[in-house]
Amino acid sequence: MKKYEIVIIGGGPAGLTCALSAKNTYPDKKIVLIRKEMKPMIPCGIPYVFHTLEEVSDNVLPDTPLNANNIEIINNEATDRKDHTLILADNTEIKFEKLIIATGSKAVMPKIEGADKENVFLVKKYKEYLKIMKSRIQEANKIVILGGGYIGVEVADELIKEKKDVTVIEMMDSLLQSMDNEFGEKVKEILINQGGKVITGKSVQKILGDAKVNGVELNDNTTIDCDLLIVSVGYKPNLDLAEKFGLNFEEGKGIMVDSYLRTSVKDIFAIGDCAAKYDFFTGEFSNIMLASTAMAEGRLVGSNLYSIKVIRQYPGVLGSFSTKIGKTAFAVSGIIEKRAKDRLLDYTVGVANAVDRHPGKLPGASEVTVKLIFSTYSHTLMGAQISGGDSVGEMINIMSVMILNKMTDTDINNLQIGTHPLLTASPVVYPIINATTDAIKKWYKNQNK
Amino acid sequence: MKKYEIVIIGGGPAGLTCALSAKNTYPDKKIVLIRKEMKPMIPCGIPYVFHTLEEVSDNVLPDTPLNANNIEIINNEATDRKDHTLILADNTEIKFEKLIIATGSKAVMPKIEGADKENVFLVKKYKEYLKIMKSRIQEANKIVILGGGYIGVEVADELIKEKKDVTVIEMMDSLLQSMDNEFGEKVKEILINQGGKVITGKSVQKILGDAKVNGVELNDNTTIDCDLLIVSVGYKPNLDLAEKFGLNFEEGKGIMVDSYLRTSVKDIFAIGDCAAKYDFFTGEFSNIMLASTAMAEGRLVGSNLYSIKVIRQYPGVLGSFSTKIGKTAFAVSGIIEKRAKDRLLDYTVGVANAVDRHPGKLPGASEVTVKLIFSTYSHTLMGAQISGGDSVGEMINIMSVMILNKMTDTDINNLQIGTHPLLTASPVVYPIINATTDAIKKWYKNQNK
């Protein structure tokens, strides 16, 4: 029987980060990472294997940090557990002191007639699956993408650039439902300007074709022809091991964990997409699955395996993400307006537009839009949305740090921010500050009513 | 006699922001901005008028926001004050309730023999001066820049791109003294690779030539020929009005102000480069002059003219700035290592390198280096330095917000950060977090000694 002190199951970002964090905190412990895949994918890089990256293998999550830190890798599948012993698919037994489950999530196939036809693909995370999918895409011409969330629109953007005839179908009334509709409308416009087609507010009721897909039938009974269908309607926590290991879990929500990601069984932790998540603002279950959250959990658990050294700093999932469609970047952190409305949070909105170089004649300038949601009474920043040039990818993190620190409108209004003509908006129009000023003006106006 | 409720003297970023902030807070007050210049310059855009921008007039700070907010502009010079009445150069009298002085700073000419020769220029902020300077630069071939601070190296970068034979002379042992030497060394390397020359650790003792400069003599008695000399060794607060108005001030430091930028005379405020500044960490006088600080002060005063509505959120000048030399951006916020050492602050350094796209094969990838300074005992982040691609300009603001919020190493280690393949580093190697991890590892190591 093999013996390790720390055993991690799952080779994605959560498992990798947890392994590295554990090594930093407990340098003398023997650590192993067990994973099914020989070559795990970078999850958020997957859409880019279809056009921007030449090969699927260009998107492999490198083993370099694991090797450099003497963390062993076993390519195998965990199938069962007896107390502090893990059993692998080949019946190898592995003894552990601490076990971390980081088995991620699975792409969801909705119940639609014909979903089993050839050339119907999910956006799965496996290299060999993606290689087949890429070669079929290359042979195809007309492609339908079912689901206009961020993965759906990223794949659409790639396939349009690959010169395919692409139609995105989204059930809701706008694309990119994780942002407010005005941002989803921009995404739609970009996809259409690039030659794509977008259908919103309609669902697919049937996948057509004989052995192979040749079209989809919408809920208004119209049909759209296609040679290939990509279904991207969401992911659900992978709970296979939770059941086998006797851990508390909730279907569709994840393995139950406390604030330190400890499961119902002593010495077993769950992190990343497979662990249940709670919303930062309301404490409800959250179905947001992001590598950034997974890795924050991985780092926390890696530091706290034998005792709680690091007090948990985040009281829930903030949900910070960014993407780029065409030449425009989009990003969100915290609550969006439609959710604030739905969950009955009193809010004041501030909006600002600016050019992200100054003077605007400087090269590389893009128009940036910032939308902020403040708590009307508490004045704290609750959410931020932004579209613009590439620097949006880091601007959203400024606002994540603001939300996490419960900064108020006046805190932000007095901020000392670094700006530079060639790199940022002018300090006069710096959009995070100006959107805050806009919210303050609205607040004053409402007070005087 | 004209009457305004709020009078602002100075048309730079501080005055402009203060005017807009005052209008937001006191929409019914009559506001006027008095300035010497018909067309004020965007201060940080000035280096770029020499090459990147076609015309000096492309760098004018637009009046649009003032006009849109019904803020009057008077192009004139304030020369004296009697109680609540201001006297202009043409003897116009203007009555005010609240007066804000935002007269900025002046470029310093060090005492060097020959400083009055033709073709010796300072980097002044006046449009007409800059137009003459630009035309002389166009005629010149060999140009010496005295001073390797950020303005000196920005101008050098521009003039090298303009195909001039450029030599930068810096008295200290490395360029860009506002950052640690390893960053200054990178700047030096970039300027040299582009064809520039850099001399460090030497000063200029004499400016040579008859009527017109034809060279400089260094303190080792060697000489360097040139057709034009640009002196960029710093700025000092413009205290002309402080003296005339009877306000307390300290030579070289600025007009004395309290936390709300109130001067020693009731109803008179001073903001921006002309107001004394205090260091965020030590409370000493600070000679850091940045548009971002000036504007934070402008916004604060604009909101607090008739009563303190907004409690001051920043206890001193953080000093956040960014620049771009060649294709590499540099940025700093808070304390740097050499200053921490000099001012006896116990510190732990963390460093990380990463590629700012993931996988690194994606287009637009640059190498990013982050250096963080933490308080060893308090664990709070005290300073950040960074070099890399364009997004560095916004990454530094993430760290400014972290410093302002007194975030600790473990706060940052557990951060939920948004990342995206096309926009940022991978979450696995996200350099702000990994530099923090590096500092934590060093802290552990030192604890176990």
Side-chain angles (χ1 to χ4, degrees):
Chain A
M1 192 188 315
K2 287 187 179 178
K3 269 186 190 178
Y4 295 89
E5 277 134 341
I6 301 168
V7 175
I8 297 157
I9 306 175
L16 170 59
T17 314
C18 183
L20 296 171
S21 171
K23 192 72 194 177
N24 286 340
T25 316
Y26 309 102
D28 302 328
K29 301 282 183 192
K30 227 177 132 188
I31 305 178
V32 66
L33 191 142
I34 301 172
R35 66 186 189 204
K36 275 200 275 194
E37 309 81 36
M38 289 292 292
K39 303 273 177 197
M41 294 276 97
I42 300 176
C44 22
I46 290 170
Y48 304 102
V49 304
F50 299 125
H51 172 77
T52 306
L53 294 170
E54 220 164 288
E55 305 281 349
V56 174
S57 59
D58 290 337
N59 190 48
V60 168
L61 191 61
D63 287 338
T64 342
L66 293 172
N67 297 335
N69 283 283
N70 286 317
I71 295 160
E72 254 185 77
I73 301 169
I74 294 180
N75 290 110
N76 206 327
E77 196 173 345
T79 54
D80 210 347
R81 171 187 79 94
K82 281 182 218 148
D83 190 30
H84 281 66
T85 303
L86 205 64
I87 295 138
L88 304 188
D90 61 358
N91 290 321
T92 316
E93 296 197 348
I94 291 180
K95 257 191 103 60
F96 62 84
E97 285 176 6
K98 304 288 174 183
L99 176 68
I100 301 103
I101 301 174
T103 48
S105 54
K106 296 176 179 181
V108 170
M109 177 60 82
K111 285 198 183 94
I112 304 175
E113 192 186 322
D116 54 351
K117 292 191 198 302
E118 203 186 323
N119 269 14
V120 176
F121 289 94
L122 291 165
V123 185
K124 294 193 182 180
K125 299 178 193 172
Y126 307 111
K127 188 171 159 237
E128 298 312 314
Y129 183 90
L130 290 166
K131 277 171 80 172
I132 296 167
M133 187 171 169
K134 184 178 167 105
S135 75
R136 294 294 181 86
I137 285 172
Q138 282 167 340
E139 292 157 13
N141 175 34
K142 288 173 84 75
I143 297 177
V144 166
I145 297 170
L146 175 55
Y150 64 94
I151 294 172
V153 297
E154 286 173 353
V155 171
D157 189 36
E158 282 280 293
L159 299 187
I160 292 167
K161 287 177 187 152
E162 192 70 18
K163 311 269 179 244
K164 303 297 174 186
D165 177 340
V166 177
T167 306
V168 179
I169 302 170
E170 166 60 46
M171 202 170 68
M172 305 295 284
D173 57 349
S174 84
L175 297 179
L176 213 61
Q177 279 293 309
S178 42
M179 295 184 76
D180 282 326
N181 290 7
E182 60 269 40
F183 293 92
E185 285 305 308
K186 272 194 205 175
V187 172
K188 182 175 177 174
E189 201 185 302
I190 294 168
L191 291 179
I192 289 171
N193 283 344
Q194 293 182 145
K197 280 165 264 178
V198 175
I199 297 168
T200 50
K202 285 181 191 162
S203 59
V204 168
Q205 62 188 21
K206 200 170 170 187
I207 298 168
L208 308 170
D210 295 323
K212 202 170 156 184
V213 61
N214 67 17
V216 292
E217 186 183 289
L218 304 184
N219 58 338
D220 62 1
N221 296 323
T222 58
T223 61
I224 296 164
D225 295 343
C226 68
D227 320 319
L228 192 140
L229 172 67
I230 298 172
V231 178
S232 170
V233 298
Y235 292 78
K236 62 176 186 189
N238 176 359
L239 298 172
D240 298 350
L241 289 184
E243 204 158 5
K244 288 179 192 159
F245 286 10
L247 311 175
N248 287 352
F249 66 94
E250 272 202 54
E251 200 54 57
K253 287 171 184 162
I255 300 170
M256 296 294 101
V257 286
D258 72 3
S259 292
Y260 296 94
L261 290 309
R262 297 184 281 205
T263 67
S264 54
V265 174
K266 195 171 184 316
D267 296 327
I268 303 184
F269 300 75
I271 57 174
D273 290 358
C274 69
K277 310 254 168 290
Y278 304 91
D279 183 78
F280 185 84
F281 296 97
T282 62
E284 301 160 282
F285 276 116
S286 165
N287 56 2
I288 295 179
M289 293 179 190
L290 290 168
S292 58
T293 315
M295 299 179 73
E297 293 178 348
R299 279 189 295 271
L300 189 76
V301 165
S303 311
N304 284 340
L305 285 166
Y306 288 85
S307 64
I308 305 301
K309 289 179 187 297
V310 176
I311 295 301
R312 183 168 180 155
Q313 300 298 325
Y314 58 99
V317 176
L318 191 58
S320 298
F321 94 92
S322 51
T323 188
K324 186 176 178 182
I325 303 298
K327 289 181 163 54
T328 307
F330 294 84
V332 59
S333 187
I335 212 149
I336 61 174
E337 189 175 3
K338 58 187 165 193
R339 204 166 156 264
K341 201 173 275 173
D342 179 54
R343 304 309 294 144
L344 297 175
L345 293 142
D346 278 334
Y347 65 90
T348 301
V349 172
V351 178
N353 294 300
V355 173
D356 65 356
R357 299 289 183 269
H358 62 288
K361 285 197 181 178
L362 282 170
S366 313
E367 176 90 4
V368 178
T369 301
V370 172
K371 177 177 182 179
L372 302 179
I373 317 274
F374 288 93
S375 160
T376 304
Y377 182 78
S378 316
H379 291 251
T380 46
L381 181 63
M382 298 197 294
Q385 292 170 84
I386 176 164
S387 65
D390 281 4
S391 53
V392 157
E394 295 293 356
M395 289 180 82
I396 197 65
N397 290 327
I398 303 173
M399 295 182 278
S400 295
V401 173
M402 289 173 167
I403 298 170
L404 288 166
N405 283 288
K406 301 196 166 30
M407 286 182 84
T408 65
D409 49 8
T410 57
D411 291 337
I412 299 172
N413 199 41
N414 286 313
L415 207 65
Q416 298 179 60
I417 215 98
T419 55
H420 190 271
L422 303 179
L423 302 172
T424 70
S426 152
V428 184
V429 297
Y430 192 74
I432 300 177
I433 292 177
N434 280 22
T436 303
T437 309
D438 184 50
I440 293 173
K441 279 164 79 172
K442 284 181 194 151
W443 185 90
Y444 265 107
K445 224 173 174 176
N446 289 333
Q447 290 299 104
N448 297 332
K449 260 182 193 164
Chain B
M1 189 188 317
K2 287 187 180 178
K3 269 187 190 178
Y4 295 90
E5 278 135 340
I6 300 169
V7 175
I8 297 158
I9 307 176
L16 170 59
T17 315
C18 183
L20 296 173
S21 169
K23 192 73 194 177
N24 285 340
T25 317
Y26 309 103
D28 302 328
K29 302 281 182 191
K30 225 178 133 189
I31 306 178
V32 66
L33 190 141
I34 301 173
R35 66 185 189 203
K36 275 201 278 195
E37 309 81 34
M38 289 291 292
K39 301 274 175 198
M41 292 276 97
I42 299 176
C44 23
I46 290 172
Y48 304 102
V49 304
F50 300 124
H51 172 76
T52 306
L53 293 170
E54 219 163 291
E55 305 280 350
V56 174
S57 58
D58 290 336
N59 190 50
V60 167
L61 192 61
D63 287 339
T64 344
L66 294 171
N67 298 335
N69 283 283
N70 285 319
I71 296 161
E72 252 186 78
I73 300 170
I74 295 180
N75 290 108
N76 205 326
E77 194 170 348
T79 54
D80 210 348
R81 170 187 80 93
K82 282 184 212 144
D83 190 31
H84 281 67
T85 302
L86 204 63
I87 296 138
L88 304 188
D90 61 357
N91 290 322
T92 317
E93 297 197 345
I94 291 181
K95 256 191 103 60
F96 62 84
E97 285 175 5
K98 304 289 174 184
L99 176 68
I100 300 102
I101 302 175
T103 50
S105 54
K106 295 175 177 180
V108 170
M109 179 60 85
K111 284 197 183 96
I112 304 175
E113 193 186 323
D116 54 351
K117 291 191 197 305
E118 202 186 321
N119 270 17
V120 176
F121 288 93
L122 291 165
V123 184
K124 294 193 181 180
K125 300 177 193 172
Y126 307 112
K127 188 172 159 234
E128 298 310 314
Y129 183 91
L130 289 167
K131 277 172 81 171
I132 295 167
M133 185 170 168
K134 183 177 168 104
S135 76
R136 293 295 181 86
I137 284 171
Q138 281 167 339
E139 292 156 13
N141 175 33
K142 286 172 84 75
I143 298 177
V144 166
I145 297 170
L146 177 53
Y150 65 94
I151 295 173
V153 298
E154 284 173 354
V155 172
D157 188 37
E158 282 281 293
L159 298 188
I160 293 167
K161 287 177 188 153
E162 192 70 17
K163 310 269 178 243
K164 302 298 174 187
D165 176 341
V166 177
T167 305
V168 179
I169 302 172
E170 166 60 46
M171 203 170 67
M172 304 297 282
D173 58 348
S174 83
L175 298 179
L176 212 61
Q177 279 292 308
S178 41
M179 295 183 77
D180 283 325
N181 289 8
E182 60 268 37
F183 293 93
E185 285 304 310
K186 270 193 207 177
V187 173
K188 182 175 176 175
E189 200 185 302
I190 293 167
L191 291 179
I192 289 172
N193 283 344
Q194 293 183 144
K197 280 165 264 179
V198 174
I199 297 169
T200 49
K202 285 180 191 164
S203 60
V204 168
Q205 63 187 17
K206 201 170 169 186
I207 297 168
L208 308 171
D210 296 325
K212 199 171 157 183
V213 62
N214 65 18
V216 292
E217 187 183 289
L218 303 184
N219 58 339
D220 62 2
N221 296 322
T222 58
T223 61
I224 296 164
D225 295 344
C226 68
D227 319 319
L228 192 141
L229 172 66
I230 297 171
V231 178
S232 170
V233 299
Y235 291 78
K236 60 177 186 188
N238 178 0
L239 299 171
D240 298 351
L241 289 184
E243 203 157 8
K244 288 177 191 157
F245 286 10
L247 311 176
N248 287 352
F249 66 94
E250 272 201 56
E251 200 55 57
K253 285 168 185 164
I255 300 170
M256 296 294 100
V257 287
D258 72 2
S259 292
Y260 296 94
L261 290 309
R262 297 184 281 206
T263 70
S264 54
V265 174
K266 196 174 182 321
D267 296 328
I268 303 186
F269 299 75
I271 57 173
D273 290 358
C274 69
K277 310 253 169 288
Y278 304 91
D279 183 78
F280 185 84
F281 296 98
T282 64
E284 302 161 282
F285 275 117
S286 165
N287 57 4
I288 294 179
M289 294 178 187
L290 290 168
S292 57
T293 314
M295 299 177 74
E297 292 178 351
R299 278 188 296 269
L300 188 76
V301 165
S303 311
N304 284 338
L305 285 165
Y306 288 85
S307 63
I308 306 300
K309 289 181 188 294
V310 175
I311 295 301
R312 181 168 182 158
Q313 301 297 325
Y314 58 100
V317 176
L318 190 59
S320 298
F321 94 92
S322 51
T323 187
K324 186 177 178 181
I325 304 298
K327 290 182 164 52
T328 307
F330 293 85
V332 58
S333 187
I335 211 149
I336 60 174
E337 188 175 3
K338 58 188 169 196
R339 206 168 154 262
K341 202 173 271 173
D342 180 54
R343 304 310 294 144
L344 298 175
L345 294 142
D346 279 332
Y347 66 90
T348 301
V349 173
V351 178
N353 294 299
V355 173
D356 65 357
R357 299 288 183 270
H358 62 288
K361 285 196 182 178
L362 283 170
S366 311
E367 175 88 7
V368 178
T369 299
V370 172
K371 178 176 181 177
L372 301 179
I373 317 273
F374 288 93
S375 161
T376 305
Y377 182 77
S378 315
H379 292 249
T380 47
L381 181 63
M382 298 197 294
Q385 292 171 81
I386 175 163
S387 65
D390 281 4
S391 54
V392 157
E394 296 293 357
M395 287 180 82
I396 198 65
N397 291 328
I398 302 173
M399 295 182 278
S400 295
V401 174
M402 289 174 169
I403 298 170
L404 289 165
N405 283 289
K406 301 196 168 30
M407 286 182 85
T408 65
D409 48 8
T410 56
D411 290 338
I412 299 172
N413 199 42
N414 286 313
L415 207 65
Q416 299 179 61
I417 215 95
T419 57
H420 190 270
L422 303 178
L423 302 171
T424 72
S426 151
V428 184
V429 298
Y430 193 75
I432 300 177
I433 291 177
N434 280 21
T436 304
T437 309
D438 184 48
I440 294 173
K441 278 163 78 173
K442 283 180 193 151
W443 185 89
Y444 264 108
K445 224 174 171 174
N446 289 332
Q447 289 299 104
N448 296 333
K449 262 182 190 165

